[in-house]
Amino acid sequence: MTSEQEIIYLDNAATTFPKPEAVYLAMDSFYRQFGGNAGRGANPLARKAAGLVDETRAMLRAWLSAPEVTFAPSATIALNTVIMGAKLRAGDVVYVTPFEHNSVLRPLEHLRKTFGIQIRVLPFDKHSFECRLDEVKKLFRLEPPAMLCLSQVSNVLGLVIPVDELAQIAKQIRPDSITLVDGAQAAGLRQLEMSLIDALVWSGHKSLYGPYGIAGIAFGTQWRPEPLLRGGTGTISESIEMPEEGVSRFEAGSQNISAIAGLNASLKWLNETGRDTIIEHSRSLTNLLSDVLSNLSDVIVYLPGDRNLITGIVSFSVNNIKPQMIETALGAQNIAVRAGLHCSPWTHEFINSTASGGTVRVSVGYFNTDKDIQQLRSIIESIIYV
Ligand code: PMP
């Protein structure tokens, strides 16, 4: 066995690993057998690649329950496309959860500094981690939202955000408000009422068990942002402007077709395995992980009162030991977790962990087992009770 095979991988929030075997095979065979460029010409290889892109898009539309799905190279680029293309103006109020990733916060902060948008943080209870929806209604009436940016699942706490409820309140109070959901951690596994969601950003390499280099936007309504990038699309080539309609408006440049080949295979695997089976496995591992960590003395676990509010991710810290030291010590025993602020600075302010260097994040995936969690427990014990 190589050391990679022996590793207990509990960093699935960074990227799911391993991938289903079919993903590796599909990517390998793409370049060996038909590495043509989709939508660029009618030669047999280009047509085969275009067929693969179309089939994958159709599977994504079904899996995400969205009428239109675009491709982008990463969730970060897709999030920037929506935020920078939303035509926000000075004074527009954008509400965020306290759990947003920097790939949402940094574009918003840029718009705040450059154009004077206002950023407001939605009220969540510090103990129960629940969103105070009654207070939200009052806030929205006082300052109607131009946009909501909502992490679907916190990448630090695993907290599931009541996205549908928030989008509904926003649309009731201001029908033209835009709801963006950052679905990097959960897209497709947790279904949304897509008729309320203007844009859901999904990531191929995380909850969809596909490769790096492929992500995108699922549009649930008629709303569309301005494109972020402009360039060749293989369509309407006589015009030097971007196509007005359709997915190619958001897909300048050659697609990452090898990644799409991998995603195609992972979507087939997801369909065969079944959403419910994957969610159930994650729920059972998350419960075990929460119990195991909560039973260790000197360990602080960042859990809501209602365990049903979290999925897949649990953060903890240990009294008087820096999270980075725990990560290094676990790494030395071949256990992969991630310590620090996880690109989500406001989440760590919310749980008051910034000054102590953040938390240790444990995140499970479909290929983890109960044994992995028990192994983690015994190694944490050996590290902290010396
Ligand atoms: N949003 C969330 C919630 C994330 O966890 C991540 C990745 N850590 C991103 C956005 C950005 O994804 P990527 O780095 O793949 O662009």
Side-chain angles (χ1 to χ4, degrees), residues 33-345:
Q33 291 169 21
F34 65 105
N37 197 339
R40 295 349 187 228
N43 72 68
L45 294 191
R47 285 196 2 205
K48 200 164 170 193
L52 180 76
V53 172
D54 291 348
E55 185 188 78
T56 311
R57 201 190 298 281
M59 281 198 287
L60 278 166
R61 279 200 302 266
W63 185 255
L64 301 171
S65 307
E68 192 161 82
V69 175
T70 66
F71 291 114
S74 68
T76 301
I77 292 175
L79 288 164
N80 270 268
T81 303
V82 177
I83 294 169
M84 307 304 276
K87 295 177 226 149
L88 294 168
R89 290 189 303 246
D92 278 348
V93 178
V94 178
Y95 288 88
V96 298
T97 74
F99 313 109
E100 299 309 313
H101 190 270
N102 271 340
S103 50
V104 166
L105 293 179
R106 288 180 174 173
L108 285 177
E109 176 60 7
H110 171 75
L111 293 180
R112 190 189 69 78
K113 277 186 145 168
T114 319
F115 299 114
I117 66 161
Q118 316 267 338
I119 304 173
R120 304 272 185 268
V121 183
L122 291 162
F124 278 74
D125 188 274
K126 293 233 170 184
H127 292 288
S128 68
F129 293 2
E130 280 179 59
C131 184
R132 293 198 288 260
L133 293 172
D134 285 342
E135 211 174 300
V136 170
K137 280 181 202 155
K138 287 184 202 146
L139 290 172
F140 284 5
R141 280 196 201 101
L142 281 173
E143 288 188 302
M147 188 173 196
L148 307 187
C149 295
L150 310 172
S151 178
Q152 190 180 1
V153 166
S154 156
N155 70 317
V156 179
L157 302 173
L159 183 68
V160 182
I161 306 302
V163 162
D164 289 343
E165 287 87 337
L166 287 165
Q168 188 153 30
I169 299 170
K171 293 258 190 258
Q172 271 162 3
I173 290 170
R174 185 170 165 181
D176 67 343
S177 63
I178 302 153
T179 297
L180 161 66
V181 176
D182 173 359
Q185 292 295 339
L189 290 182
R190 305 213 141 236
Q191 282 181 296
L192 300 175
E193 179 45 61
M194 283 304 291
S195 63
L196 294 168
I197 310 300
D198 298 285
L200 164 69
V201 166
W202 54 274
S203 166
H205 74 93
K206 296 189 192 242
S207 59
L208 298 178
Y209 288 85
Y212 290 112
I214 195 69
I217 309 167
F219 291 111
T221 66
Q222 299 294 315
W223 178 82
R224 298 289 179 273
E226 276 293 301
L228 182 70
L229 301 174
R230 292 172 173 79
T233 57
T235 56
I236 324 181
S237 297
E238 65 281 11
S239 170
I240 60 165
E241 290 188 53
M242 285 302 276
E244 285 292 324
E245 289 185 346
V247 289
S248 53
R249 183 163 171 75
F250 303 102
E251 294 180 351
S254 299
Q255 300 273 24
N256 187 346
I257 310 168
S258 114
I260 292 176
L263 181 64
N264 184 290
S266 72
L267 287 165
K268 285 178 182 154
W269 174 84
L270 286 169
N271 276 305
E272 279 155 23
T273 310
R275 215 184 303 260
D276 291 346
T277 309
I278 298 170
I279 289 182
E280 195 38 52
H281 186 60
S282 171
R283 193 193 317 275
S284 139
L285 288 174
T286 312
N287 282 338
L288 178 64
L289 181 58
S290 307
D291 287 343
V292 156
L293 292 174
S294 303
N295 285 333
L296 295 171
S297 51
D298 290 332
V299 171
I300 303 152
V301 195
Y302 299 90
L303 287 171
D306 177 0
R307 299 260 183 98
N308 290 319
L309 292 180
I310 59 160
T311 184
I313 302 171
V314 179
S315 262
F316 72 94
S317 55
V318 180
N319 288 333
N320 305 320
I321 308 184
K322 283 261 172 224
Q324 290 72 11
M325 284 178 70
I326 305 278
E327 177 185 354
T328 307
L330 286 171
Q333 302 288 328
N334 260 351
I335 296 196
V337 295
R338 177 160 173 221
L341 301 182
H342 314 98
C343 300
S344 295

Side-chain angles (χ1 to χ4, degrees), residues 23 68 107 112 254 349 367 377:
V23 174
E68 192 161 82
R112 190 189 69 78
S254 299
E349 275 176 35
F367 298 106
R377 178 186 53 88

